[in-house]
Amino acid sequence: MLAKRIIPCLDIKNGRTVKGTNFINLRDAGDPVELAASYAAQGADELVFLDITATVEKRATLAELVKRVAHTINIPFTVGGGIKSVEDVSVLLQNGADKISINTAAFNNPSIITSIANAAGSQCVVLAIDTKKEEDGEWYVYLNGGRTKTDTKCFGWAKRAVDLGAGEILLTSMNHDGTKAGFALDITQLLSDNLPIPVIASGGGGTMQHFADVFINAHADAALAASVFHFKEIEIPQLKTYLAGKGLPIRIRGM
Amino acid sequence: MNLAIIKYNAGNIQSVLTALERLGLTAEVTDNAEKIKSADKVIFPGVGEANSAMKSLQQSNLHTVIKDLTQPVLGICVGMQLLCNHSEENNTDCLGIVPVQVRKFTSHGLALQAPATTLQIVGEEQEARLKVPQVGWNTIYNLKTNLFKGIAPNSYIYNVHSFYAEDSQYTIASCNYGLEYAAAIKKDNFYGVQFHTEKSAEVGDKIIKNFLDL
C-alpha cells in the first residue's frame, strides 16, 4: 500500500539553513546538504527546501546547492521559494531537483502552473498554499509568505490549480503554523478528500499524535514539519515506528 | 564497465546519471548507435509522455537500435513502458520487446478493461478512491531474478506514474495500487522497472548495483 510520507522542511538563506538545529552529530548544522543527508539516513521520505534568499545571486547559489543535494541524497526533494518562471524551474530540475513548489507567483499568474506542467510534467509541480481561517469560518489564501490576504478561498484556488496542472498541494495553515498544537484537520480533509492529487499537510505538528491525527482523521497523503525535527522534539525513526503501530502504511527503512 | 544511458527527448536522464555518480559510477549519455551497441550495459530512462518519447526514438532511429541490443538493458519508468507492446497513453505503439499492455490507473481503483479477478479496492474505506498519479513509496513483492538479489519482499520503492504495465508471465516484481500490476518486467536481456531506482533510497541503489552485476 502507498505509504504516508514524512517530510522535513529546511529553510535556506544564501545557501545555509536558517533556523537553528539540534543536530549535534553534524560537523556543520548550517550546511543544508549535511542536514539533508542526515534526514535521509533517518528515514525521511522526501525533503523540501524553501529558499528565502532575496539577493540577485539567489539563482546561482540555489542551483549549486541543489546540485550538491542531488549528488548526496537518494530520496526525492522539492525546492521552492521565489520561483517565478519556467526558466527558474528548468535550472532547478536540471541540477537535480525532483519537484518545485510555487506559491505567490502561481496565484498572480496561474498560467505558469500549466507552463511548468507542460514543460516538465505535473508530477514536479507542487502548489504551495498558505491559508488562514477567518472569523467568517472560511479559509482564505494568503500570499507573500502570509503577509498579503486575498479574497480567494483556499478550496477554490486548490481546485483550479489542479485543473491547471498542479501535481500536489502543500497546504500550510497559518492558524496552526508554529503553535505545535496539531495540524488543521478540517481544511486538510476537505482538500484531501475532494482533490484527485496528493495533499501535504503543514503547520502545527508538535507531537507524534498530531501526525497520526492528520493521516487518520484528515486523510493527508504526507505531513511536513520543520523545527520539531530540527530540534529533535520528534525523531523520525520513532515517529515512523509510532505511526506504523497505529496501522498506518509507513516506510520503514531497510532491505 | 562500459555503461551507456540512452539520450533522447525524455526527462530524468540527469537524475539517473546523478544517481550513478553518487554510487561512484560513470556512464556515457549518448544517442550514438555504435556506442550504445558496444556498451556492456544500457540504461533506458524516461519520464514524461509515452507518445512524444516514442516519436523522439523513431526520429533518431534509436527504436531499431534498442530492439537489437543483446546486452542487459534496464528501462526505468517510461523507459520500461516503452519496452512494452502498447500504451494507453495517447494510444501509443511502443517498442514491442516485452508483450505487455500499459494501462492507465483510474481514480476508482479499477483499471479500464482489466479482468475482474484482478480488481481489488485498497484496504481502508477512506482510500477507496485512488489519486492518480501514484506518488510516493509503495512496496514490491514476488521478487524474481538477480535484479532483486538481496532485496527483501515488501521493500519500499518510490513511484511517480499514471500508467502501469499489466501483470503477466514477464512480471518479476509486483506492486499494488488499487490493483496488482508489474513493478518490474523481464524478457531475455531486457529488464524494466516502473519505479525510480534513482530515488528509492538504499533499495534503489542496490537494484542499480544488481543490474550492473548481471
Side-chain angles (χ1 to χ4, degrees), chain A residues 77-246:
Chain A
F77 67 99
T78 301
V79 180
I83 291 168
K84 290 186 177 66
S85 67
V86 175
E87 198 195 338
D88 289 339
V89 171
S90 62
V91 168
L92 296 172
L93 296 182
Q94 278 164 20
N95 279 284
D98 298 287
K99 311 175 192 180
I100 56 84
S101 85
I102 43 172
N103 189 332
T104 303
F107 189 87
N108 291 334
N109 175 23
S111 68
I112 193 178
I113 297 174
T114 310
S115 302
I116 298 169
N118 286 343
S122 284
Q123 83 288 340
C124 77
V125 185
V126 179
L127 179 76
I129 304 177
D130 293 328
T131 188
K132 189 174 176 185
K133 193 177 197 174
E134 301 287 353
E135 287 176 1
D136 63 2
E138 299 280 358
W139 290 90
Y140 290 91
V141 175
Y142 275 68
L143 304 178
N144 300 312
R147 294 188 296 276
T148 311
K149 183 185 184 300
T150 74
D151 294 329
T152 301
K153 287 173 189 167
C154 177
F155 182 75
W157 168 227
K159 192 163 189 321
R160 184 167 172 225
V162 171
D163 293 339
L164 290 167
E168 284 183 81
I169 303 282
L170 168 53
L171 180 71
T172 301
S173 163
M174 294 167 56
N175 306 70
H176 297 73
D177 201 20
T179 65
K180 295 184 187 174
F183 294 91
L185 300 181
D186 55 347
I187 187 68
T188 301
Q189 183 181 357
L190 181 72
L191 265 59
S192 191
D193 285 356
N194 292 288
L195 298 178
I197 62 173
V199 174
I200 304 163
S202 162
T207 67
M208 296 199 289
Q209 174 73 47
H210 294 153
F211 285 82
D213 289 343
V214 82
F215 290 138
I216 294 168
N217 300 326
H219 310 162
D221 298 281
L224 176 145
S227 59
V228 289
F229 294 140
H230 299 331
F231 291 103
K232 293 196 170 181
E233 290 164 30
I234 297 177
E235 301 222 35
I236 290 171
Q238 284 86 333
L239 174 61
K240 289 190 132 187
T241 303
Y242 170 84
L243 294 171
K246 296 274 182 186

Side-chain angles (χ1 to χ4, degrees), chain A residues 1-4 45 70-71 73-74 76 94 98-99 123 192-193 195-197 219 221 250-251 253 255, chain B residues 14 18 21-22 126-127 129 131-132 134-135 137-138 152 156 158 160 199-203 205-206:
Chain A
M1 187 182 291
L2 193 66
K4 301 290 189 183
D45 295 306
H71 277 86
I73 66 168
N74 52 13
Q94 278 164 20
D98 298 287
K99 311 175 192 180
Q123 83 288 340
S192 191
D193 285 356
L195 298 178
I197 62 173
H219 310 162
D221 298 281
I250 294 291
R251 178 179 73 107
R253 286 178 66 245
M255 287 181 273
Chain B
Q14 185 58 44
T18 299
E21 288 171 358
R22 205 168 52 224
Q126 73 215 34
E127 291 187 342
R129 185 179 52 81
K131 296 187 179 183
V132 179
Q134 172 177 220
V135 178
W137 299 82
N138 204 334
Y156 278 94
Y158 187 76
V160 181
K199 293 291 165 184
S200 293
E202 49 280 303
V203 175
D205 291 343
K206 174 72 173 155

Side-chain angles (χ1 to χ4, degrees), chain B residues 39-92:
Chain B
D40 298 318
K41 300 267 164 60
V42 176
I43 293 180
F44 179 31
V47 160
E49 193 269 318
N51 200 281
S52 54
M54 198 61 211
K55 281 190 178 131
S56 170
L57 288 178
Q58 284 161 346
Q59 277 160 12
S60 49
N61 208 37
L62 284 171
H63 64 307
T64 56
V65 174
I66 294 170
K67 281 186 204 179
D68 292 338
L69 293 175
T70 54
Q71 66 274 60
V73 177
L74 179 66
I76 300 176
C77 195
V78 170
M80 181 212 80
Q81 295 175 4
L82 294 182
L83 294 176
C84 298
N85 265 359
H86 178 269
S87 172
E88 285 184 352
E89 186 168 24
N90 293 321
N91 191 24
T92 302

